[in-house]
């Protein structure tokens, strides 16, 4: 659609002059001389074929046509200014949008947010915790932390963060309260085991029967205990002393470092999954600051 409008710079000069009722004040406001504003208004009047101001001795008055035009231009410029300010605010405060699994967010990322804020106080994080996969090409999120197998990652854009190791964990208070020893795998049959629900058998390595099989242990376990649909719930139950859980590093590392959990056994299973960093199209300093922090935090022990 073709819009028959005069040059917009003429409208800006006119609006300032009409609001101030002064060419000199309008010039000061938009950094032009009085004569430049006067020429702009004259050119606008010639373009429209209208008289917009009544020029009196040391005074300006808008004509009726001038008032009508001023109201329209003033409203439009105010709306445009508000829109631009809103877009700038959204851009500067949008932060880094991170997609990850619910368990990684709850067990690893959220407990370390204070460390990230201390190192990068100017960067806001928006955490999208969901087990669904997000299409990074759409630009909805900037970074994805994915729990996947090596054959499912892109060698060009995905960055290895950490392998996953699976091993029994429990609250230190549980062992003290129960009075039952836990120094070898066979001792697990005398404890309450916590289970992760997995009806699709998507993560067999996080299940006790698979873990026992890989460890070469032949234990018959009953289902007495608790079963959880989410890993973070399972780990929380373990920290509260409800039983022994299969924890996975690096997600339980901070709980082990804080003494909320202990790993009584030395046996560990390296799972077929690992954690990877996947980039979206955005690669500005804010995103890079989070990437640098994440890689360093996941590479060093607690």
């Amino acid at each position: 659609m073709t819009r028959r409008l005069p040059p917009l710079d003429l409208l800006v000069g006119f609006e300032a002059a009409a609001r101030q009722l002064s060419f000199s004040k309008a010039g000061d406001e938009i950094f032009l001389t009085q004569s430049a504003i006067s020429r702009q208004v004259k050119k606008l009047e010639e373009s429209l074929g209208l008289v917009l101001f009544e020029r009196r001795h040391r005074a300006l008055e808008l004509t009726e046509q001038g008032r009508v035009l001023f109201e329209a231009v003033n409203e439009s410029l105010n709306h445009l200014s508000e829109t631009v300010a809103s877009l700038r605010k959204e851009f500067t405060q949008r932060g880094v949008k991170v997609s990850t699994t619910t368990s990684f967010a709850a067990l690893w990322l959220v407990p370390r947010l204070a460390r990230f804020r201390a190192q990068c106080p100017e960067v806001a994080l928006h955490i999208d915790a969901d087990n669904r996969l997000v299409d990074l090409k759409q630009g909805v999120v900037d970074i994805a932390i994915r729990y996947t197998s090596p054959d499912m990652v892109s060698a060009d854009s995905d960055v290895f963060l950490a392998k996953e190791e699976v091993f029994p964990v429990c609250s230190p208070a549980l062992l003290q309260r129960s009075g039952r020893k836990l120094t070898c795998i066979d001792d697990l049959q005398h404890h309450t085991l916590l289970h992760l629900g997995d009806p699709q058998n998507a993560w067999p390595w996080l299940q006790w029967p698979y873990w026992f099989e890989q460890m070469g242990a032949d234990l018959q376990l009953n289902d007495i205990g608790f079963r959880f649909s989410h890993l973070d719930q399972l780990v929380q139950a373990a920290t509260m002393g409800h039983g022994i859980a299969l924890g996975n590093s690096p997600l339980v590392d901070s709980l082990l470092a804080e003494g909320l959990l202990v790993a009584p056994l030395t046996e560990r299973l390296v799972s077929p999954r690992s954690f990877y960093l996947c980039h979206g199209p955005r690669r500005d300093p804010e995103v890079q600051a989070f990437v640098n922090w994440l890689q360093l935090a996941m590479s060093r022990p607690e």
Side-chain angles (χ1 to χ4, degrees):
M1 181 177 64
T2 302
R3 293 181 174 88
R4 299 181 60 187
L5 295 173
L8 295 183
D9 59 328
L10 302 185
L11 292 176
V12 171
F14 161 74
E15 190 275 339
R19 183 164 28 83
Q20 300 278 9
L21 290 178
S22 167
F23 290 158
S24 62
K25 290 181 180 179
D28 291 341
E29 181 180 310
I30 61 176
F31 306 104
L32 293 175
T33 64
Q34 176 183 357
S35 60
I37 293 292
S38 179
R39 287 194 299 272
Q40 283 190 351
V41 171
K42 184 67 175 176
K43 189 174 181 180
L44 179 61
E45 290 177 323
E46 291 173 352
S47 172
L48 297 175
L50 299 172
V51 176
L52 301 175
F53 288 98
E54 292 181 6
R55 294 161 176 79
R56 301 176 180 177
H57 181 64
R58 295 187 177 181
L60 286 177
E61 293 289 340
L62 285 166
T63 64
E64 182 61 29
Q65 294 90 342
R67 279 192 290 273
V68 171
L69 182 61
F70 167 69
E71 290 175 2
V73 175
N74 177 261
E75 181 179 353
S76 298
L77 291 178
N78 285 340
H79 179 67
L80 181 61
S81 177
E82 291 170 0
T83 300
V84 170
S86 176
L87 290 173
R88 284 175 174 167
K89 182 178 180 181
E90 180 181 346
F91 177 79
T92 56
Q93 295 183 351
R94 68 177 179 171
V96 179
K97 298 177 182 178
V98 181
S99 170
T100 188
T101 63
T102 54
S103 57
F104 186 90
L107 295 173
W108 195 94
L109 186 54
V110 171
R112 292 167 175 79
L113 288 180
R115 303 182 197 177
F116 175 74
R117 177 52 55 87
Q119 184 172 326
C120 305
E122 73 287 353
V123 180
L125 283 187
H126 301 270
I127 301 170
D128 179 19
D130 198 312
N131 291 334
R132 62 185 172 83
L133 287 180
V134 176
D135 185 359
L136 288 168
K137 294 179 181 178
Q138 294 182 357
V140 177
V141 298
D142 303 309
I143 292 293
I145 303 166
R146 289 183 173 157
Y147 173 64
T148 188
S149 56
D151 60 318
M152 296 297 292
V153 301
S154 168
D156 297 330
S157 60
D158 299 341
V159 180
F160 173 82
L161 291 174
K163 65 181 179 180
E164 179 185 46
E165 294 184 332
V166 183
F167 49 92
V169 296
C170 64
S171 164
L174 173 67
L175 299 179
Q176 297 173 4
R177 184 174 69 246
S178 68
R180 300 169 184 167
K181 68 175 183 175
L182 183 52
T183 57
C184 66
I185 292 179
D186 287 345
D187 292 336
L188 285 167
Q189 61 190 319
H190 304 301
H191 290 269
T192 298
L193 302 184
L194 306 178
H195 303 269
L196 179 65
D198 185 15
Q200 304 299 322
N201 198 33
W203 314 290
W205 54 89
L206 296 177
Q207 305 298 324
W208 283 109
Y210 183 93
W211 193 85
F212 287 137
E213 179 184 349
Q214 296 299 308
M215 296 298 110
D218 183 18
L219 295 182
Q220 298 299 319
L221 302 176
N222 57 44
D223 288 333
I224 298 175
F226 301 99
R227 188 171 295 274
F228 301 89
S229 59
H230 291 86
L231 182 63
D232 52 300
Q233 297 170 352
L234 174 80
V235 172
Q236 182 182 13
T239 64
M240 298 177 70
H242 295 312
I244 315 292
L246 278 176
N248 57 339
S249 176
L251 300 194
V252 298
D253 287 355
S254 63
L255 296 172
L256 292 169
E258 294 170 17
L260 296 174
L261 288 176
V262 293
L265 306 180
T266 58
E267 289 85 354
R268 293 191 172 207
L269 169 67
V270 178
S271 90
R273 297 281 184 96
S274 295
F275 295 91
Y276 291 86
L277 166 70
C278 305
H279 279 278
R282 183 180 165 203
R283 299 292 184 101
D284 60 30
E286 274 194 324
V287 172
Q288 194 58 48
F290 175 74
V291 169
N292 293 343
W293 172 82
L294 178 66
Q295 289 182 285
L296 182 60
M298 294 204 75
S299 66
R300 61 189 180 193
E302 290 292 328

